[in-house]
Each structure stands twice: as C-alpha cells, then as structure tokens.
Amino acid sequence: MTERYDAIVIGGGVMGCATLHYLAELGVTNTLLLERDTLASGSTGRSMTILRMHYSNRVTTEMAWWSRGVMANFEDEVGSPSGYQQNDWLLFPGSGNEDAARINVNLAQSVGVETEALDIDEVYRRWPYMQFGDSECIVWEGKAGFADSHLVTSGFANSARSRGASVRLGVSVNEILHKNGSAIGVRTDKGDIYSDRIVLTIGPWTNVLLEQVSDPLPLHTVRHQVIRLQQQDGFDDIAETFHPIVVHIPSGLSARPDTPGYALIGYREDPVDRDTYNQGVDTEVVVEGVGILADIIPAYTEAAWASGWSGLFTVSPDWNPVIDRVPGFDNMVVGAGFSGHGFKMSPAIGLSLAELVTGTKQTTFDLNPLRFLRFEEGDLLKSAYGGNVFA
Ligand SMILES: Cc1cc2nc3c(=O)[nH]c(=O)nc-3n(C[C@H](O)[C@H](O)[C@H](O)COP(=O)(O)OP(=O)(O)OC[C@H]3O[C@@H](n4cnc5c(N)ncnc54)[C@H](O)[C@@H]3O)c2cc1C
C-alpha cells in the first residue's frame, strides 16, 4: 500500500522538529519526520544552546529575539519545558571592534532587545569579580540565556505528535523522488514514502541529498570543542556563582554557566570531515580555553576539567543560514548552514520553513537575505566581526 503524507521532514535535529511543530500550528498534521538515528543526535545534541540577540543583520536579530520569547514561554507555547535559564550576557569586542559592537547594539535595540554598550566603570561595578582588560566598552544583554537542546527538540516533536504527526527513528532517506520539477516523496532504507511537500533539515549532511536534485550549497564542516569545568574553591568568594555568559571576540571563545557548580567553554573552529572527526576534546585546547576564561573570571584558575565533547558547525560562506525553497522546486525547502549559532533561532526557522513549504504568501520574517542563491549572486550577509560564529 502506498504511504502518503501532507509533508515529510527529513532530519530530527532541532530544525526538523521545530518545523514539524509549526506545520501542526499551521494545521498540517498528517506529517512524517524521518530521522536515521535518534532525535538531536547530530549538531543539536552537542550544542551549547546559548541564546543571544546580538547579530549584525536585522533578520537574524529579529529571529533570535522572537525565538527567545518561544524558548522562555515554551511550556505555554509548545506544551513542555525547554530548560530555559535567563542569564546576563557579556560580549568583549576587543580593540578595533567597539564601533561594530555599538552598531549591533543599536540594531538590537531597534528590534526591542534589552541591551547596552556599557563603559568599563559600569561593568566593574556590576561584576567586580571579573576582569575586562583594556576594552573601551562591553556589550550587555539582559534577556539572554540558554536552554536544553534535548528538551526543546523532543518538546517540538511531541507537540506535533500530539496532533497527529508521526516521528520515525532509525530510517535513513537515501533519495528524494521527483518528477517534472516537483518533489513527490523519498526513498528510504525501509521503502518509498510519498508527499507533495519535502523539508530538508539534515545539518552537516545537507549536500548528500541536495546534490541529487540541485547544485549543492557551499557548506563546510568545522569541529567546535566544548569543555565542561567544575568550579572550585575560588567561587566561595563570588556572591554570584551563576555568572554572565561570556563571548570573547578576539579569541573566539564563549562560556556559560551550566548546572550549578559547572560551566561550559566553547572554543576552536577546525575544518574536519563530518563523518570521521574526533568527537572528544584536546588537552591543549582545554589548557588554552581555561586560560582565556581565567583571564576574564580569575576564579576559574582553579577549575577542574570535568568532561567535554566536540560537535560540528555546518558553515556557509557568510556564516549565516539558508532558509529557502530548493531552486527549481516550489514544494521542497531547505534549512541549512547554521554556522554554529542556529539553536537560538530554531523556533523562527521552524516557523519559516513551515510557512515556505505550505506556500504562505507573506512569511513572518523577511527571508530574502537568507536565500539559497545569494552566494552565487555575490550578495552575502555582512558580519561585524568578520567571518565567524558571532555573525
Ligand atoms: C559544539 C556546538 C555548540 C553550539 N553552540 C550553540 C549555541 O550556543 N547557540 C546556538 O544558537 N547554536 C549553537 N550551535 C549550533 C546549533 O546547535 C545548530 O545550528 C543546530 O543544532 C542545527 O540543527 P539541525 O537540526 O540543522 O542539524 P542536526 O542537529 O545536525 O540535525 C540533523 C539530523 O539529520 C539527521 N540525518 C542526516 N542525514 C539523514 C538522512 N539521510 N536521513 C534521515 N536523517 C538524516 C541526522 O542524524 C541529524 O539528527 C552549536 C553547535 C555545536 C556543534
């Protein structure tokens, strides 16, 4: 018997599951998500899940701000907790980047984000246990934070399932079936399944399926290491052990508190093969990363290395995502190239992909800057800090 759905989502990371949820919100519930492994087994489950709104482009600022609202009210909006933890967020622009930082602050303020470029006296007054070097200003956001990637991903999936969607794990899509410029279904390792709407959200593996039906996207994968630290005695002197999230532009390091008594450092972007990369952490990277963090929060000098992991960023040429229809197809959409900062925008991206694949005339966000063909058109998005994850 032919199996047929109103939409098929390929990939069970946060983007696929968010899309399934927003399809249900749009009334499309006869849907199927296919994941070859388990939910959040790709980049999503390795994410540091930092939520901030500081971006160089209006569309990403708006997406991050709107999504932060969903993450903070997940229980009401999606029906289960997201593990959201609100936290101050501080960006160290480094010398020469202060003007760019102030421009981004103005952009975020215009979108409604609570943020300021604070002068040095003010940051020392607020966080006396931190060191700010010779920075002219430090960017602060008051409604940043982090969430739990597994809770968010399964929350989106369960919300859709409760309205009729199916989620099938351990099924690999090997081919996209198409006829006369229309997607008609997928060929999996368990058989063919049909639909007139296909959503491609397979993270680092995007081009494996995409290049069967179109030009590939110019994506590459880098390894980002995450170091988990256990705070030691130095924290007895700090009233606020739950310190701000830190982004240090000159080194590319980010850090955030984790469960009480622990912290995470994210560091390094090394090109690797997506299928064979080292998923652990390197001792020299731990030493370097802890050194940078301890220069900012000296109490980390005594921290103990608890554990760690590595994950993949799927990077586009301008370090910003592609959210679009696949060229030549009006019923197949792709969300890819999140370049290490997609988690925070996943609600907005899920909504956008759901709107695109159902043919919504006026999408909630202006997706033109994130179009598929911008790279070959030479119309890349700008980034205040050069090409990196802090796009
Ligand atoms: C170390 C690290 C730290 C990060 N920190 C942050 C952060 O602090 N803040 C932030 O906003 N973002 C962060 N990110 C980025 C964020 O996690 C990603 O942008 C996001 O998780 C991407 O989700 P995805 O669903 O597109 O991809 P993935 O999570 O990789 O999901 C793709 C899924 O597709 C499946 N799949 C692949 N091929 C097939 C196939 N043929 N058939 C069926 N299924 C298939 C895979 O098994 C996988 O589960 C971080 C990422 C990493 C790696």
Side-chain angles (χ1 to χ4, degrees):
M1 198 183 79
T2 304
E3 211 183 344
R4 178 170 287 283
Y5 292 88
D6 292 338
I8 294 176
V9 177
I10 313 171
V14 72
M15 302 308 174
C17 292
T19 308
L20 202 67
H21 164 79
Y22 285 104
L23 280 168
E25 292 284 290
L26 295 178
V28 183
T29 53
N30 177 32
T31 52
L32 173 67
L33 182 142
L34 296 168
E35 163 56 49
R36 67 177 176 190
D37 196 334
T38 58
L39 296 185
S41 55
S43 299
T44 299
R46 294 164 183 276
S47 181
M48 278 180 59
T49 69
I50 295 171
L51 316 175
R52 47 96 186 175
M53 278 56 71
H54 189 91
Y55 272 103
S56 308
N57 295 281
R58 179 162 291 274
V59 61
T60 39
T61 312
E62 287 177 348
M63 283 183 151
W65 183 229
W66 185 85
S67 297
R68 181 251 164 222
V70 177
M71 296 285 191
N73 299 298
F74 210 73
E75 197 133 11
D76 288 341
E77 298 206 14
V78 182
S80 56
S82 67
Y84 172 74
Q85 173 67 55
Q86 186 166 306
N87 203 359
D88 287 317
W89 179 91
L90 298 179
L91 175 133
F92 292 60
S95 102
N97 286 324
E98 289 92 346
D99 287 346
R102 289 190 181 98
I103 290 170
N104 282 6
V105 167
N106 289 340
L107 169 62
Q109 286 173 341
S110 75
V111 168
V113 179
E114 188 186 338
T115 181
E116 275 176 65
L118 299 175
D119 68 34
I120 288 303
D121 292 344
E122 178 61 18
V123 284
Y124 274 115
R125 196 185 62 71
R126 292 195 196 181
W127 298 282
Y129 56 86
M130 295 178 72
Q131 293 183 353
F132 299 95
D134 55 2
S135 310
E136 271 175 31
C137 70
I138 298 288
V139 176
W140 163 82
E141 274 181 19
K143 294 226 161 60
F146 51 91
D148 182 304
S149 61
H150 290 275
L151 287 180
V152 169
T153 306
S154 57
F156 276 136
N158 288 338
S159 147
R161 286 176 63 220
S162 71
R163 287 176 275 179
S166 301
V167 172
R168 215 168 284 170
L169 306 181
V171 181
S172 186
V173 173
N174 297 330
E175 196 182 328
I176 292 171
L177 304 172
H178 58 102
K179 203 170 164 184
N180 304 329
S182 261
I184 57 167
V186 294
R187 176 150 296 155
T188 78
D189 55 357
K190 309 258 175 9
D192 293 353
I193 309 173
Y194 294 91
S195 177
D196 290 338
R197 298 184 182 118
I198 304 289
V199 178
L200 192 59
T201 45
I202 55 172
W205 299 276
T206 299
N207 280 331
V208 175
L209 292 181
L210 193 58
E211 59 196 4
Q212 297 176 2
V213 294
S214 94
D215 286 338
L217 280 165
L219 303 175
H220 73 283
T221 43
V222 302
R223 173 185 179 222
H224 190 64
Q225 303 193 34
V226 180
I227 305 152
R228 190 159 190 265
L229 294 179
Q230 187 174 18
Q231 297 164 347
Q232 302 291 308
D233 297 346
F235 278 84
D236 293 347
D237 303 330
I238 297 177
E240 198 186 340
T241 52
F242 211 59
H243 57 75
I245 298 166
V246 169
V247 165
H248 189 250
I249 296 288
S251 65
L253 176 138
S254 55
R256 71 158 172 88
D258 197 22
T259 48
Y262 289 84
L264 300 179
I265 294 176
Y267 190 42
R268 290 284 284 266
E269 288 147 15
D270 298 307
V272 287
D273 176 77
R274 65 186 168 219
D275 295 312
T276 57
Y277 77 100
N278 175 355
Q279 299 185 20
V281 286
D282 304 335
T283 312
E284 67 273 17
V285 171
V286 175
V287 173
E288 249 181 67
V290 174
I292 295 166
L293 182 59
D295 282 346
I296 299 170
I297 305 178
Y300 277 109
T301 311
E302 301 299 325
W305 175 15
S307 62
W309 63 87
S310 289
L312 294 173
F313 292 176
T314 307
V315 179
S316 77
D318 59 13
W319 286 78
N320 276 291
V322 170
I323 312 290
D324 203 354
R325 296 189 177 86
V326 176
F329 292 86
D330 59 8
N331 65 344
M332 180 173 12
V333 299
V334 60
F338 296 106
S339 306
H341 55 94
F343 179 80
K344 67 180 67 60
M345 296 187 281
S346 54
I349 287 160
L351 171 65
S352 301
L353 289 170
E355 288 178 338
L356 279 179
V357 81
T358 51
T360 304
K361 288 270 178 303
Q362 181 79 47
T363 54
T364 302
F365 300 95
D366 173 13
L367 301 174
N368 189 50
L370 305 178
R371 68 193 181 282
F372 191 113
L373 293 176
R374 71 180 187 273
F375 308 114
E376 66 181 68
E377 291 166 0
D379 189 20
L380 278 62
L381 274 81
K382 65 182 166 65
S383 177
Y385 308 115
N388 64 35
V389 65
F390 308 120

